[in-house]
Every structure is written in C-alpha cells, then in structure tokens.
Amino acid sequence: MQLKLHPQTEGTNRSVGVITIIATLATLTINGFAGTTSYGKATESLEEPPPEATPYADWCTLLKSGLKLYSNTDNPLIQEFKLMGRLQYQLATVDGTDSFGDDVGYDTDEFRRVRLGASLKALNHFQVKASSEIVVDNEPRGGDRGFRFNGLWDGYVKLNAKSAFNLEGFDALKIGYGRREVHMTEEWNTSSKLIKTVERSAIANKVWPSDSGFSNPTGFWVEGTNGELSWQTGAFTTSRSEWLAPWDDGQLYYLMLDYDLSDRTGLDQTDLLFMGSYQDVDIDQDRLAGGVEWATSVGARLANDRWQLRLNATIGDNGDQSSELREDTFWGFVVLPTYWLVQDKFEAVFRYQYQGSSEDQGIRLNSRYVRRAQSTGDANIIGGARGDEHHSFYGGLNYYFCGDNAKIMAGIEYDDISSDGHHVYDGWTGFLAFRLYF
C-alpha cells in the first residue's frame, strides 16, 4: 500500500504551488514580526541568543502568541485585537473491499481546513470573534479546488456577565449569541487544533450538530464555572445559512457539564463530561446532525506524566428519516489512549471505536475517505456506507515542532461495517497530515 498524491496531476501541482506560496508568506510574515511586540514597536535584538534558543524560537513564539495587533487593558474602548488562522493539509490512501467483494483503491490529498479570523475585546466586558473557511476543496470527490470564501465558520459576541454585573455567585459567567460549534462528545470538546487523531471517530461526527452543509448552527447560550464544575446550556436554530441563521425551522437544546476532579484524584488531569441535546424539528425542515432527535454522551479525560486516556460513550435516537431502516436507536463508545515517547515532542496514539444501531442502516462510516471513494466511482458500497455494526481501529504517531501550533500526524485506520450480518465494507485508510495554527 503506497501513499500517493491524487492522480489528477493538474490539481496536485496546484496543491504544491499553493503550499509553496503559503510557506513563503508565512516565512515573510514571521521575519517581519520577529522583532516586534504586540504594539508593533521594534525591540532590541540580543547579540547572542540564550543557550536554550532554537532556530524555531521566534517562529514558535509568534504562533503561540498569535498575531496580536493591539493590546492595552487601560483603553476603555478596545482592549485587544488579534488575528487567528488555521492551516490543515492532509493526504490519504484507501485499500479495502466494497460490498460486492471488489478491491477499493483510492488516493487523495486535501486542504482539510484553512481558516482566517479575528478576535476583539472591547468595552471591558465584550468579546467579538469571527472566522471563515477560505478554501473550497472538492478534489477528493473528483471536483476542483479553489481559495475563496466558504461561509462563516463561527461568529459571535460574548458578554462577561460576572464582571459586567459584579456577580459573586459564579467563578465565571458569560452569555453569548451567534454561530459556533456545539460539542456533543469528548472528541468534539477538543478543538481540531488539538485532536490526537487525524479525523474524529464516526460516532462523534454522527452527533455533531452541524447543518446539511457541515456548518455550525446559530443560537444563544450561557456558560459558567462554579468550583469544580464548568457548564454550558443554550438553544440553537436548525435553519441553514452561510452567515447568522434565522429562526425559521426547528430548535436544538443543549447542555454540557465538565467536572474537574484533578485535586481529588492527584492525577495531572481528571475531567468527567456530560453532554446532551434534543432537537425539536419536522422532517421537512432544515435539521442538525442529520436529524438526530436526541443524544446523550458521557466522557472522561485522565492524564498523568506521559500517558493520557480519553473515554466516551454515546446513545441517541435517529429521529424521522427518509427510510425506516435509518431510524430508532444508535449507540457507541470510544477508547483513546496516548503516550509520550519523547515528552512534548513525539507521541503514540491508539483509538478503538464501536458503534451500533437497532435498525439495519442506523449508523454510517465517516465521509473521509471511503465514502469519497464511492463518490468518484472507485467503490461500490450499498446503503451509502450505512450499517448496524461498525468496528474501527486507529494507530498513529504525532510529531510536534512547536507544541500543538505546528505538528505532523501520521496514522492508519481499519474499518469494518456490516448490516444485518452482511458485509458492507472493510479496509484500511492511511493518513499523513500537517497542522498549523496561530
């Protein structure tokens, strides 16, 4: 099994060209900012760097601090303004057997995420944030690739109610409105900047409340902290829009609880999570999470020294679907241990996922990348890669250049999905990814 670029030579050459341009711009930007503070004023350069300095020191400092263009806590109008960005590029190869016993061979490359945004802190109590996808990449489906606006990923305003109203009953209390991610599993409570696997599990993606265009919903929420407990609750419209969505269709109600028990256990990290959602919507309206009516998820994060263990279990109801075979109950769990082979530098990752359903087509494979092979005619998988039992195994290695801000991820995943005891698909997917953010 070989890892190759997408067979479309023109698209591949364009990808390499784009990467070269981005790398050049990044180098120029880093060189331009290396001698400035967050105010843009020149700083004195050291004639001899300290012994611990590395060739990447300025680069890492820039990535970790972000492009903070202004910062002044004494200004009553604007306290901070900074730019944010995220670049994620990856290659994949699929080697499996489709529903009819034929071999599946498929190779592709993809700009997984390219986002630019900004964050503003103003009037001492408000934060305004917005970011957008700036790439449309359909090459994995046999289409084209281009850099252009692809919808608002998140955009919201948040009020620090604790400081604004001098509330003493909360350690933190904020109220928000706008477009944002809704985190329904432990994996989705981890940003794509920080996830340990190249792709999240299929069961996690199934209950992610995205619209039919795989975009975030619009809504309002309240988030707070009381001692060991952090929590969020809110309501979101199911209507779809490239911007802030109207309240024309149904609503999704959401609750998240996060207990930090590290002081009790003595471990470096001990978090227990609970997440739940309920969607009140008709089948002929815009819906989130593919129409999942309700879902409940519990998770845990345990870490000490070099190891970390992440656990999650999910159960829910598919709601009304176009086929009865895709309705009723589904469930699944994820076990994800990691271990630092070289502390903070080189990491080994393993994940096992199981998902099942009461109906023959109640669960599904991820869209990346087996279903992409189907869309290009390289595979023939019945039911759109749906089934009632799915096992998945992932093993990978992550190398960190600058913490999570710049890393390379390599992994291989095995999937086996069946429906009513009949083979739907089994095979391997190999990943190689580059991740960068500031």
Side-chain angles (χ1 to χ4, degrees):
M1 180 171 62
Q2 296 181 341
L3 190 63
K4 302 182 292 183
L5 288 175
H6 196 280
Q8 295 176 311
T9 305
E10 180 181 354
T12 301
N13 291 337
R14 186 165 61 253
S15 304
V16 175
V18 169
I19 294 172
T20 303
I21 292 171
I22 291 174
T24 303
L25 290 175
T27 302
L28 293 175
T29 302
I30 291 166
N31 290 336
F33 277 82
T36 64
T37 67
S38 60
Y39 298 93
K41 299 179 181 179
T43 60
E44 296 182 1
S45 60
L46 299 175
E47 294 182 1
E48 294 183 5
E52 66 274 17
T54 71
Y56 308 106
D58 290 337
W59 181 58
C60 285
T61 300
L62 175 67
L63 290 179
K64 289 179 179 296
S65 62
L67 293 182
K68 190 180 293 184
L69 303 183
Y70 180 81
S71 178
N72 184 355
T73 56
D74 294 328
N75 187 330
L77 296 178
I78 298 176
Q79 291 76 58
E80 181 183 277
F81 179 73
K82 66 179 181 179
L83 300 179
M84 303 170 296
R86 191 176 312 191
L87 169 64
Q88 300 184 358
Y89 176 79
Q90 60 198 50
L91 302 93
T93 183
V94 175
D95 185 0
T97 305
D98 66 17
S99 301
F100 297 90
D102 295 327
D103 292 337
V104 178
Y106 172 75
D107 303 304
T108 192
D109 70 294
E110 175 181 28
F111 281 96
R112 181 64 175 89
R113 298 175 182 92
V114 183
R115 296 178 191 160
L116 286 177
S119 175
L120 172 71
K121 293 182 180 179
L123 303 176
N124 292 313
H125 307 299
F126 288 90
Q127 180 189 14
V128 181
K129 179 184 176 184
S131 67
S132 298
E133 292 282 1
I134 60 170
V135 66
V136 178
D137 194 346
N138 291 315
E139 280 201 0
R141 303 182 185 90
D144 61 358
R145 170 184 296 158
F147 284 81
R148 58 186 182 273
F149 174 76
N150 190 26
L152 187 68
W153 178 254
D154 55 15
Y156 57 79
V157 58
K158 203 185 294 188
L159 167 66
N160 189 331
K162 175 179 170 59
S163 65
F165 304 115
N166 295 316
L167 300 177
E168 298 182 356
F170 300 89
D171 296 327
L173 183 66
K174 297 179 181 180
I175 302 171
Y177 183 83
R179 186 176 182 130
R180 52 155 281 191
E181 290 181 0
V182 177
H183 304 143
M184 268 301 299
T185 63
E186 186 281 327
E187 287 176 275
W188 270 100
N189 266 280
T190 304
S191 167
S192 67
K193 300 181 296 187
L194 308 176
I195 55 177
K196 302 295 186 178
T197 57
V198 175
E199 295 292 335
R200 295 182 176 97
S201 66
I203 187 65
N205 286 331
K206 178 176 178 61
V207 297
W208 167 44
S210 65
D211 61 27
S212 57
F214 297 102
S215 300
N216 292 319
T218 298
F220 62 87
W221 66 94
V222 181
E223 59 186 68
T225 301
N226 298 81
E228 298 175 335
L229 174 65
S230 298
W231 53 271
Q232 291 185 21
T233 185
F236 298 81
T237 173
T238 67
S239 299
R240 180 181 177 183
S241 172
E242 287 189 348
W243 302 95
L244 296 182
W247 294 76
D248 295 338
D249 296 284
Q251 295 83 42
L252 180 137
Y253 304 97
Y254 170 69
L255 174 66
M256 190 275 288
L257 306 174
D258 182 347
Y259 288 91
D260 183 354
L261 303 178
S262 302
D263 290 340
R264 300 192 189 189
T265 64
L267 301 177
D268 293 339
Q269 182 182 33
T270 306
D271 283 326
L272 302 180
L273 300 97
F274 169 85
M275 297 135 288
S277 67
Y278 171 75
Q279 186 169 196
D280 184 9
V281 64
D282 295 330
I283 191 172
D284 58 348
Q285 295 178 311
D286 285 342
R287 302 187 296 171
L288 303 176
V292 169
E293 182 177 3
W294 64 265
T296 299
S297 187
V298 293
R301 295 172 180 162
L302 307 173
N304 203 51
D305 195 18
R306 293 192 173 206
W307 65 268
Q308 184 178 74
L309 177 63
R310 301 182 177 205
L311 306 168
N312 199 89
T314 302
I315 188 170
D317 189 286
N318 281 307
D320 294 331
Q321 300 291 329
S322 58
S323 169
E324 293 182 354
L325 296 178
R326 301 172 186 176
E327 296 181 344
D328 292 335
T329 310
F330 64 87
W331 53 85
F333 65 90
V334 174
V335 180
L336 199 164
T338 68
Y339 185 79
W340 287 109
L341 300 173
V342 177
Q343 188 70 45
D344 299 327
K345 209 68 176 171
F346 193 41
E347 179 183 40
V349 179
F350 174 79
R351 182 183 67 202
Y352 170 70
Q353 177 234 242
Y354 171 82
Q355 59 172 343
S357 65
S358 58
E359 296 295 332
D360 291 349
Q361 296 184 4
I363 57 170
R364 197 177 192 185
L365 290 179
N366 273 333
S367 61
R368 291 172 174 86
Y369 283 96
V370 177
R371 284 164 52 193
R372 299 287 175 87
Q374 169 117 343
S375 68
T376 58
D378 293 309
N380 192 353
I381 306 173
I382 61 174
R386 295 180 175 87
D388 58 14
E389 188 171 51
H390 174 212
H391 298 271
S392 176
F393 302 85
Y394 177 101
L397 296 170
N398 301 328
Y399 183 79
Y400 296 79
F401 295 99
C402 182
D404 279 295
N405 292 86
K407 61 187 177 184
I408 289 179
M409 309 174 72
I412 187 167
E413 184 169 24
Y414 175 77
D415 290 291
D416 186 347
I417 187 168
S418 59
S419 175
D420 192 27
H422 300 291
H423 173 259
V424 174
Y425 171 84
D426 72 284
W428 301 87
T429 303
F431 303 93
L432 182 63
F434 172 71
R435 302 283 167 94
L436 178 147
Y437 77 91
F438 58 87

